[in-house]
């Protein structure tokens, strides 16, 4: 055995291509595999967050639409009930003269919203071309047209979801790209909130014709961990928004009939009309 062979035998090396570097190579491969798994976890978290944001925004639009229709259609009935309650309490107090009845009458009257002044009355009813049709109909004692429904169609929902999945700012890795996506999503949300299916289609075409986005998923595990932390914080914030929407009065009502909000409005309207008729009959007995 030569001296060089003896030295190689002592240090466990087989020569220039020996096994000394094998542990380092194995460690790098393990790190790379861990980083790949972390990157996959980040990607999955991103997609889950986008789907959650879509669900929250969809429900927010539904709540806004239902709230507007609820106010326009049922608001006058609630106001009529408040007025009848005040009149009934006042009639009872006039009959009995009881201090408690007088107090209750004053409280009922205070609960009735006062008539607005001229500026408040026309706020939101005057545009650049003069009175809106609803205001003109009220002043001329013509029938006011029913409130226009703004409820996105199923196709609009599909287009909206597809656009958000593709263009969501959370998919950006550069600040310039995030800004571009944020501005685009603002337009997408506005079109969806107004139920404008044609505008959503145009936006879909615009996105497809736009600059291609390069996937530049970071390779450093520190950046991936930071990304996961940010995604978790974002999801927690959205969960708070969702809980607030679901806990609101309108959100709770909407959850009772998510597939047919119009039927729920009709049911509530019928109940309110019955309450109005009952109170009017009772008031007639008191003052008759």
């Amino acid at each position: 055995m030569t001296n060089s062979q003896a030295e190689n035998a002592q240090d466990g090396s087989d020569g220039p291509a020996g096994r000394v570097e094998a542990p380092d190579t194995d460690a790098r491969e393990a790190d790379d595999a861990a980083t790949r798994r972390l990157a996959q976890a980040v990607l999955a978290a991103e997609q889950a967050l986008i789907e959650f944001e879509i669900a929250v925004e969809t429900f927010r639009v539904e709540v806004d639409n239902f709230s507007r229709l609820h106010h326009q259609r049922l608001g006058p009935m609630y106001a009529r009930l408040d007025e009848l309650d005040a009149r009934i309490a006042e009639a009872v107090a006039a009959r009995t003269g009881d201090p408690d009845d007088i107090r209750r009458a004053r409280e009922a009257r205070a609960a009735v919203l006062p008539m607005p002044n001229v500026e408040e009355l026309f706020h939101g009813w005057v545009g650049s071309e003069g009175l809106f049709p609803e205001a003109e109909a009220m002043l001329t004692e013509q029938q006011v047209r029913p409130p226009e429904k703004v409820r996105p169609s199923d196709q609009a929902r599909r287009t909206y979801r597809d656009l958000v999945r593709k263009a969501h700012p959370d998919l950006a890795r550069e600040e310039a790209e995030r800004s571009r996506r944020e501005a685009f999503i603002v337009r997408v949300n506005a079109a969806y909130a107004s139920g404008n299916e044609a505008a959503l289609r145009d936006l879909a075409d615009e996105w497809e014709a736009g600059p291609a986005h390069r996937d530049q998923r970071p390779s450093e595990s520190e950046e991936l961990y930071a990304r996961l932390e940010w995604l978790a914080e974002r999801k927690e914030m959205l969960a708070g928004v969702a809980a607030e929407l679901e806990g609101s009065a309108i959100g709770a009502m909407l959850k009772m009939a998510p597939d047919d909000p119009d039927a729920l409005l009709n049911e509530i309207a019928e109940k309110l009309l019955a309450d109005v008729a009952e109170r009017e009959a009772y008031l007639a007995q008191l003052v008759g």
Side-chain angles (χ1 to χ4, degrees):
M1 175 181 294
T2 65
N3 291 335
S4 61
Q5 289 174 329
E7 292 173 357
N8 290 338
Q10 291 175 358
D11 62 16
S13 172
D14 290 334
R19 294 187 298 274
V20 173
E21 296 181 358
D24 292 338
T25 301
D26 292 342
R28 283 197 300 270
E29 290 178 352
D31 289 342
D32 290 344
T35 301
R36 286 194 298 270
R37 289 194 297 271
L38 185 57
Q40 292 173 352
V42 168
L43 182 60
E46 287 175 342
Q47 295 301 322
L49 179 65
I50 290 173
E51 293 300 322
F52 188 42
E53 288 201 44
I54 290 173
V56 172
E57 177 63 16
T58 298
F59 188 61
R60 186 195 66 77
V61 169
E62 289 293 333
V63 168
D64 287 348
N65 289 333
F66 190 79
S67 177
R68 183 178 57 82
L69 292 172
H70 180 273
H71 176 73
Q72 288 177 326
R73 182 173 178 183
L74 305 182
M77 299 184 190
Y78 287 120
R80 178 60 177 165
L81 283 172
D82 288 342
E83 175 64 27
L84 287 171
D85 286 340
R87 291 186 182 183
I88 289 172
E90 290 167 346
V92 171
R95 277 194 171 191
T96 65
D98 184 272
D100 287 338
D101 289 339
I102 294 174
R103 176 183 53 79
R104 281 190 285 268
R106 289 174 179 171
E107 292 175 352
R109 176 53 61 187
V112 178
L113 293 177
M115 286 296 294
N117 57 36
V118 174
E119 290 78 10
E120 292 173 339
L121 182 62
F122 285 98
H123 177 69
W125 293 87
V126 180
S128 59
E129 299 180 357
L131 288 174
F132 291 147
E134 293 88 349
E136 185 175 354
M138 289 179 64
L139 294 176
T140 57
E141 297 184 355
Q142 296 176 1
Q143 183 177 3
V144 181
R145 69 183 183 184
E148 180 182 355
K149 295 178 182 178
V150 181
R151 188 166 293 135
S153 64
D154 290 340
Q155 181 58 48
R157 291 168 185 261
R158 287 191 291 268
T159 305
Y160 169 76
R161 290 190 175 105
D162 185 57
L163 269 173
V164 173
R165 291 183 184 114
K166 291 179 179 177
H168 200 283
D170 288 351
L171 296 177
R173 292 294 188 272
E174 298 175 354
E175 191 58 33
E177 176 65 12
R178 169 174 285 277
S179 297
R180 182 178 81 90
R181 287 171 175 262
E182 286 176 346
F184 184 80
I185 288 297
V186 167
R187 297 163 60 199
V188 171
N189 287 340
Y192 179 68
S194 63
N196 194 333
E197 189 174 332
L200 286 172
R201 288 196 300 269
D202 291 342
L203 287 167
D205 293 339
E206 178 182 331
W207 182 260
E208 292 301 326
H213 175 61
R214 295 179 301 167
D215 188 5
Q216 299 177 344
R217 191 176 302 116
S219 59
E220 294 293 331
S221 60
E222 292 81 5
E223 294 184 22
L224 291 172
Y225 277 118
R227 181 68 171 166
L228 278 177
E229 183 177 355
W230 182 89
L231 290 169
E233 292 174 355
R234 177 75 174 171
K235 185 176 181 181
E236 183 177 357
M237 183 275 294
L238 286 171
V241 174
E244 184 176 351
L245 287 170
E246 293 175 353
S248 66
I250 294 296
M253 284 193 291
L254 189 58
K255 289 175 65 177
M256 294 170 58
D259 298 327
D260 194 0
D262 291 334
L264 179 59
L265 278 177
N266 292 335
E267 182 179 343
I268 297 174
E270 291 177 1
K271 176 64 169 59
L272 290 176
L273 286 173
D275 291 342
V276 167
E278 180 181 353
R279 282 170 172 76
E280 286 178 340
Y282 182 47
L283 178 62
Q285 292 178 0
L286 290 173
V287 301

